Amino acid sequence: MMNYLWAGLIVAALGFALWSDLNDLLADRYANGRALPATLELPPGEDPSNRRRHGTLRLDPRIVARHFHRPTPAGTAPLNFPVELSIAQTELELKTTADPLPPPLDQIRAFHDDANRTLRARVRFPDVSVQPMPPVAGEFPVLLEFAPVRFVKLKAITAAAFEFSKTAVTIALGFIGVFALWMGLMKIAEASGLVAIFVLLVQPFLRFLFPGVPRGHPAMGLIALNLSANMLGLGNAATPMGIKAMEELQTLNPDKDTATDAMVMLLAMNTAGVQLLPSATLVAVMGFSSMAVFVPILIVTGVSLVVAIVAARLLGRLPAYRRTSTHGAGSGGEAA
């Protein structure tokens, strides 16, 4: 079910991003294919024959707003940015690392530069006599042509998906050692009999919560192991035990398409299980400082466990749930 939910969320996000990007294209929000008027100032002192020169780009904020179909800003002071000009083949390229840039120039820069550092544009002079590089210093009207910007949000979602996938793999590799240690300790506890002792201690408590499970049934031992692993913060070790416990409870279920009360109770307790020790994931992230949150974790998970148990028992008594109850072995005589 979770896979379907995640797939639905991804499809919805992609649909929203596509809809938003199409609106941007229809509104010509990035002025693709249209040149932005500006003024280029080249100071004296540089050799005009150089293929690389420095200067200042001056933008009128009102022209920028009209060009990109945006609200006219309150301020009318010119925007000045240091730029570098270079001749690439027969074309003049301008680039600037100024920060911040007015929108949407900042978005154009982020779209074409993954490091979000440099804004590039092709420069054209209305006066063809100064092509490709002005032979003298001074101020020159120019037209800036930026590379097209399309499907910004779709690109952002795709980049985020790859980035978080890489992060997930990095975190998973870092957790291998911690999980191996904790699961090894769990194996030692099982081999030494500590787990069996724990199962005997919690049997009376489990008999009260799972009255429909027969005495001596394998499901009861697996439930105890699952809950003990959760209490010790071994989520990865608890998962296979919980799945196996559900499989054993299913053998007691007369209606294979409806969850029994025991199944519902086990799921509720797993979702809000109390933790006597910080989880292995938390230890991997915080190290020994994770013990500083031991008491808050114990209080919160303890309260959530009580709420989950009470909610499962009370909801199971409602007529709407009792109508779908299996009332068979493993159901505890209450609705699921």
Side-chain angles (χ1 to χ4, degrees), residues 60-291:
D60 187 327
R62 294 167 297 185
I63 294 178
V64 173
R66 286 197 303 268
H67 183 77
F68 291 107
H69 305 291
R70 292 174 179 261
T72 303
T76 58
L79 304 172
N80 298 316
F81 305 103
V83 296
E84 179 183 289
L85 298 173
S86 60
I87 298 178
Q89 297 179 349
T90 60
E91 295 183 345
L92 185 63
E93 182 186 64
L94 172 148
K95 64 179 182 180
T96 179
T97 56
D99 197 38
L101 290 173
L105 297 181
D106 54 349
Q107 296 166 303
I108 295 175
R109 175 178 63 184
F111 183 82
H112 292 291
D113 182 8
D114 292 335
N116 197 16
R117 294 176 181 172
T118 305
L119 174 67
R120 300 175 184 271
R122 191 164 70 95
V123 181
R124 288 194 294 109
F125 293 90
D127 184 359
V128 296
S129 64
V130 299
Q131 303 283 6
M133 181 81 80
V136 293
E139 292 187 358
F140 305 90
V142 294
L143 297 174
L144 305 180
E145 297 178 350
F146 301 101
V149 176
R150 299 185 180 94
F151 302 107
V152 176
K153 293 178 176 60
L154 277 179
K155 180 184 177 183
I157 290 177
T158 304
F162 281 104
E163 182 63 28
F164 279 102
S165 297
K166 182 174 68 175
T167 302
V169 172
T170 302
I171 293 175
L173 290 176
F175 285 163
I176 289 177
V178 176
F179 283 137
L181 171 63
W182 285 88
M183 292 179 72
L185 292 176
M186 187 66 184
K187 279 291 186 181
I188 294 174
E190 185 178 354
S192 64
L194 292 178
V195 174
I197 295 173
F198 178 79
V199 171
L200 291 176
L201 292 176
V202 300
Q203 279 281 2
F205 177 69
L206 295 181
R207 292 295 311 159
F208 169 74
L209 294 177
F210 302 91
V213 180
R215 291 182 180 275
H217 194 275
M220 194 65 76
L222 290 168
I223 292 172
L225 290 174
N226 169 258
L227 296 179
S228 64
N230 274 325
M231 290 181 181
L232 296 175
L234 302 176
N236 264 25
T239 300
M241 298 175 191
I243 294 174
K244 187 62 178 175
M246 282 291 187
E247 291 176 352
E248 292 294 338
L249 291 176
Q250 182 71 346
T251 62
L252 302 173
N253 189 0
D255 185 355
K256 303 303 181 183
D257 295 329
T258 303
T260 64
D261 289 346
M263 291 179 172
V264 174
M265 180 63 72
L266 177 59
L267 182 61
M269 294 179 67
N270 266 272
T271 304
V274 66
Q275 283 192 315
L276 302 179
L277 293 175
S279 67
T281 302
L282 190 63
V283 173
V285 174
M286 298 182 60
F288 286 106
S289 59
S290 60
M291 298 307 295

